[in-house]
Amino acid sequence: MSQSHKPAPLSARRSGPLKGSVRVPGDKSISHRSLIFGLLTRGTTEIEGLLEGEDVLATGRACTLLGAKVERIGTGSWRVSGTGVGALLQPRGVLDFGNAGTGSRLMMGVVAGHGIEAMFDGDESLRKRPMRRVLDPLVKMGAEVVDQAEGGRLPLTLRGTSDPIPLTYETPVPSAQVKSAVLLAAINSPGTTTVIEKEATRDHTEKMLKHFGADIAVEPHGTHGRKIVLTGRPELKPNKVVVPADPSSAAFPLVAALIVEGSGIVIEAVMDNPLRTGLVTTLLEMGADIEHLNRRTEGGEDVADLRVRFSNLKGVDVPAERAPSMIDEYPVLAVAASFATGTTWMRGLSELRVKESDRLAAVADGLKACGVACEIVGDDLIVHGKGGAAKGGGVVATHLDHRIAMSFLVMGLASVEPVSVDDGAMIATSFPDFVPLITMLGGEIAPS
Ligand code: S3P
């Protein structure tokens, strides 16, 4: 079971212009997947630029328990010697994913497709998150939930099958984690599995399957969706993974530079995958001064350096269909909206309620604590910006959620009064160097 947690309150205050050039850590989604694909590939997979955050390290430990040798060669440089598909070991201990929804759900897919039994657990936040959305299709493929906490939650024990049934599955919620769990179970299936999504979600699992030599076809489906067809039991071949910088982490210095007067920064080599760029699209509509420099491809993903300058933002309407491409960025977008002139209406945010915290409630409560007018109407969040600095002055409850902590610390860099968060310890799950990086740019964040 997860260890007890020691809160680390932090406070951010109005700072001078942010200046400089920075690189944010490797993408969390791709980092989890690179370790998992290393496990599923017989031979040695080399990874460069792995995010060494607690979430990803928990996935690494789970891979070890399932039979892989996971070695750190240098900063961000890792080597995984995998068992290959069909050859996972029965784990001797609990797979404890800490705070990580992605690691736990993707690994449920892996375990479901193998004839082993594993117990999954996590911290207080992960134990509250819904797992049925992943377990339902896995049970259809032949896995069995041997034991579970109320409502299909962690801790739970999953017994997989060595012959997962090929499935055609339409995901009921737009979730890359659900899609990926099905695809990962289907890798060991003696047939063809099809996943249909009405709204396209991040496609890192599909890209990585292709990168490791699987037979996978992806085509458009309806107006915004995709259909993915995977042939089971491929011979996955080791292939080097270069992890690009995480756009969801870049979002924090990006919004900070937009709201701290006089700022001008460059964030280097940020992944520009179109299924992850909803925040930048929205900020550009709000009038943000963001330039894409030096567009190129690194490790199979489009990347660009982002030059960001302080901007006078205006409120906009953010359509519901954009949500999957910026699902983790709404908290920091809400902060940007607090500094904009006029109302920003963010539509269709039901999925925000089941993240590391109920982010819809946590954001609205945090904004109110900092003197920003906002409302939740149905699944929409509406923020009324007055133009210029938000009041600030609040102590924001973060509910074990790293993105709530970072978002409100960003607010504090530009608000009239400092903003405190009750706990910044969870920042280490995705962005361990967040505070030093913001400090290097000229931002003032300190323990409170
Ligand atoms: C992720 C998918 C998203 C996102 C999470 C990472 C992934 O979750 O919120 O941080 O790596 O697949 P959902 O797919 O459940 O929306």
Side-chain angles (χ1 to χ4, degrees), residues 91-415:
R92 293 241 191 113
V94 177
L95 308 184
D96 186 342
F97 287 93
N99 195 248
T102 306
S104 59
R105 289 178 172 141
L106 267 54
M107 204 61 98
M108 283 178 198
V110 172
V111 167
H114 285 81
I116 55 174
E117 187 174 303
M119 183 174 171
F120 290 76
D121 204 355
D123 69 7
E124 211 186 303
S125 150
L126 193 57
R127 282 180 170 200
K128 286 191 192 138
R129 298 182 66 183
M131 296 297 165
R132 274 207 183 123
R133 50 178 55 202
V134 174
L135 297 171
D136 286 348
L138 298 180
V139 166
K140 286 197 171 96
M141 296 176 87
E144 192 188 337
V145 184
V146 178
D147 202 11
Q148 60 188 292
E150 212 188 313
R153 292 186 158 74
L154 299 188
L156 66 80
T157 301
L158 188 63
R159 184 179 298 149
T161 167
S162 47
D163 277 312
I165 303 161
L167 190 69
T168 293
Y169 191 68
E170 180 164 336
T171 51
V173 281
S175 166
Q177 295 178 354
V178 174
K179 166 179 67 180
S180 299
V182 174
L183 292 174
L184 287 166
I187 288 187
N188 197 26
S189 174
T192 298
T193 291
T194 302
V195 182
I196 294 165
E197 44 181 11
K198 275 199 231 71
E199 305 277 344
T201 61
R202 64 191 70 192
D203 58 358
H204 308 305
T205 304
E206 297 91 303
K207 282 188 156 182
M208 217 170 273
L209 278 161
K210 199 164 226 152
H211 188 63
F212 280 80
D215 181 3
I216 178 165
V218 181
E219 57 184 64
H221 178 83
T223 326
H224 305 290
R226 288 200 174 164
K227 178 177 164 193
I228 302 130
V229 182
L230 174 66
T231 309
R233 304 220 166 133
E235 181 67 37
L236 296 182
K237 306 223 172 47
N239 206 345
K240 184 168 176 164
V241 180
V242 180
V243 184
D246 194 331
S248 300
S249 296
F252 301 107
L254 195 164
V255 169
L258 291 175
I259 62 175
V260 174
E261 265 182 55
S263 297
I265 67 167
V266 173
I267 314 171
E268 293 163 16
V270 181
M271 181 169 45
D272 199 25
N273 178 319
L275 293 165
R276 300 286 298 277
T277 49
L279 175 72
V280 171
T281 305
T282 305
L283 290 169
L284 288 171
E285 287 174 4
M286 294 172 83
D289 183 348
I290 304 171
E291 274 178 87
H292 290 77
L293 308 175
N294 197 11
R295 279 195 151 117
R296 59 206 184 269
T297 306
E298 275 181 18
E301 290 283 0
D302 294 339
V303 301
D305 302 331
L306 301 183
R307 182 193 293 284
V308 191
R309 295 189 182 91
F310 168 77
S311 306
N312 291 311
L313 302 173
K314 62 178 191 330
V316 292
D317 198 309
V318 190
E321 62 269 17
R322 198 176 289 164
S325 69
M326 56 178 298
I327 194 67
D328 292 333
E329 281 69 82
Y330 284 100
V332 80
L333 174 63
V335 168
S338 309
F339 289 74
T341 303
T343 296
T344 296
W345 195 307
M346 295 164 246
R347 297 180 189 272
L349 306 187
S350 56
E351 279 298 299
L352 281 199
R353 297 185 199 273
V354 291
K355 294 296 175 188
E356 285 82 332
S357 66
D358 174 348
R359 281 190 182 151
L360 202 47
V363 169
D365 291 348
L367 292 178
K368 284 177 195 155
C370 294
V372 178
C374 67
E375 299 130 72
I376 296 173
V377 175
D379 291 332
D380 299 351
L381 176 64
I382 304 158
V383 177
H384 304 285
K386 287 198 283 203
K391 179 176 157 292
V395 180
V396 174
T398 53
H399 306 284
L400 294 176
D401 191 325
H402 53 134
R403 297 199 202 279
I404 298 296
M406 288 185 276
S407 298
F408 282 96
L409 290 170
V410 164
M411 173 180 265
L413 299 174
S415 52

